[in-house]
Amino acid sequence: MTGDRELAKETGRSAGKIGISLLVAIGLGYVLTLLATRWLGPENSKVFLSFWGILMGLGSALSPLEQELSRQSAVAALEGERAGRPALRALTVGAVTVAVVAVVTLTVPVLSDRLYAGNTALGVIVLCGAVSFACQFAARGLLVGQQRIRPYSWLVVAEAAVRVLVLFGIVAAGLTGLTSFAIAAAAGSFAWLLFVRPVSGLVDPGQEGEGWRPVTARILVLMAGAGLTASVITGYPAMVSLLAPGGSDADVGVLFATLTVSRVPLLLLSPLQALAVPTVVRLSGTAEGMHRLRRLLALGAVGTVVLGVVGAVVGLLIGPWLVQLLYGAKFVAQGWWVAWMVWGAVVLTALQLMTAVLVARKQANKVLVTWAVVAVATAVTLLVVPGDPILRAVSGLAAGPTLGLAVVLVFVLRRPGNLQAASDVPVG
């Protein structure tokens, strides 16, 4: 009981520190998207935001790498050790996987045309940024798993700050083209280079641990789930471009810009996800901790619905005004767009945190099933709902996440026997 209280206090302090850095990062994250979108205008920003969706979508697909390494690091810390070779293997699998996906988007003509408007440079930037993101998420996972909250928080801020600094340098030099803004967007993925020293001491390459097969299986399953996650969060503009093309470029550009505003906090939510994983590992060690966890999850579900409804009403009333305030008079949004976007964003927030619980339980297959339900429901909505691309896109924002929330609640509220027994993927 005393241990659970101490864990709650420790988690609260860590969450507070990370929360502050997260707020700063969110604020800095808006600077790039707002300035680039205002500068490029509704039509050109459609291409930039599609690129942004692919880049950040691949980054989001790597979030399980952070969660898995935070789990490995937390388990090692409980035993007074450091993460071993499995951490390096997980990093390698993650980096190779996103590199392959980035190359496919660059070399397949139909994908390159729809996602980058045939601009090869954008695809190359995505490739470089995606591989660097793998190193960045690995570094963050090792830090948070060992409760190195201060450097972790600084790394979260540094990612967004580097983008803004490069952006200001580009604008000062008068290089305000689409490619220049893309370079600024990818620059943040290299922030891990500033933290090589504190991170390198958290890995012991001589510690053998799990082999390639179980590590690869688990990471690929988790990344597949995260890729599906990214398709409905940061990658949603690209998903709409592929499955519901057409319509007015200006109107779709406004929709994408509006969507980006609602998605930036979700993009930066991974620090709280990473913190949730070692917390669940520790809580699951006692019956009292398990009871407390299930109660928190049930309260979180109720809070999600209440917050989603309130947010949707607020978005309906002031959303269009806020979009014009942020982007300018040319960006005319509809209140009902914003209402459903806010609802979807709130539900996706809950989904991300609840699937982190499944990661901590090593229930990788359930993570994959949850996000497959969300992505497939969203894609089907985009394909079959009658009407213009705007109506189909907004419908997809609401339908997929709502169905996914129902699925993940069934998974997380079910009492597992123990962390090892709950594993869906072989661990050796």
Side-chain angles (χ1 to χ4, degrees), residues 65-396:
L65 181 62
E66 178 179 4
Q67 296 169 42
E68 171 63 15
L69 264 63
S70 73
R71 185 193 64 80
Q72 290 187 24
S73 192
V75 171
L78 290 175
E79 299 172 354
E81 299 177 350
R82 292 176 291 169
R85 290 184 185 177
L88 301 178
R89 290 168 179 147
L91 168 60
T92 302
V93 173
V96 170
T97 301
V98 293
V100 170
V101 175
V103 168
V104 169
T105 68
L106 174 63
T107 57
V108 176
V110 66
L111 295 179
S112 179
D113 288 342
R114 290 194 178 184
L115 298 176
Y116 310 128
N119 189 332
T120 303
L122 297 183
V124 174
I125 294 169
V126 165
L127 173 61
C128 296
V131 173
S132 190
F133 263 134
C135 298
Q136 188 139 299
F137 278 101
R140 284 167 38 163
L142 291 169
L143 288 169
V144 77
Q146 288 276 359
Q147 290 296 301
R148 305 294 179 89
I149 302 302
R150 178 171 294 181
Y152 179 88
S153 299
W154 278 113
L155 179 52
V156 171
V157 173
E159 178 181 334
V162 166
R163 288 193 189 98
V164 174
L165 290 175
V166 173
L167 173 66
F168 286 164
I170 285 173
V171 172
L175 304 173
T176 54
L178 180 61
T179 302
S180 298
F181 285 126
I183 291 173
S189 65
F190 292 87
W192 64 274
L193 292 171
L194 303 173
F195 296 83
V196 170
R197 186 173 180 181
V199 171
S200 59
L202 302 179
V203 181
D204 179 8
Q207 189 80 16
E208 181 58 37
E210 291 181 307
W212 280 100
R213 184 174 180 178
V215 170
T216 301
R218 187 161 57 250
I219 290 296
L220 289 180
V221 170
L222 289 172
M223 285 189 64
L228 295 171
T229 309
S231 70
V232 295
I233 298 180
T234 52
Y236 195 63
M239 192 177 187
V240 173
S241 297
L242 288 172
L243 301 182
S248 165
D249 284 346
D251 288 345
V252 175
V254 173
L255 177 71
F256 286 176
T258 306
L259 180 62
T260 302
V261 173
S262 71
R263 291 302 198 247
V264 169
L266 291 175
L267 175 64
L268 298 171
L269 187 65
S270 57
L272 295 181
Q273 287 181 277
L275 179 62
V277 173
T279 301
V280 172
V281 170
R282 296 184 182 102
L283 279 175
S284 300
T286 66
E288 176 63 25
M290 287 291 295
H291 176 72
R292 180 174 296 178
L293 177 61
R294 293 179 75 247
R295 184 176 62 186
L296 289 172
L297 291 169
L299 291 174
V302 175
T304 297
V305 175
V306 172
L307 183 60
V309 172
V310 172
V313 173
V314 173
L316 178 67
L317 296 176
I318 69 170
W321 167 81
L322 182 60
V323 170
Q324 287 196 319
L325 177 67
L326 293 173
Y327 291 115
K330 293 182 179 179
F331 289 77
V332 181
Q334 301 297 319
W336 63 277
W337 299 0
V338 186
W340 285 116
M341 283 180 190
V342 174
W343 166 263
V346 171
V347 173
L348 286 169
T349 299
L351 278 167
Q352 287 182 281
L353 292 174
M354 289 182 184
T355 51
V357 174
L358 299 176
V359 172
R361 295 175 178 173
K362 298 174 73 174
Q363 295 177 316
N365 287 356
K366 288 184 172 62
V367 176
L368 180 60
V369 169
T370 298
W371 289 112
V373 168
V374 176
V376 170
T378 302
V380 169
T381 302
L382 286 172
L383 291 170
V384 305
V385 168
D388 61 21
I390 298 292
L391 176 61
R392 293 154 68 188
V394 176
S395 299

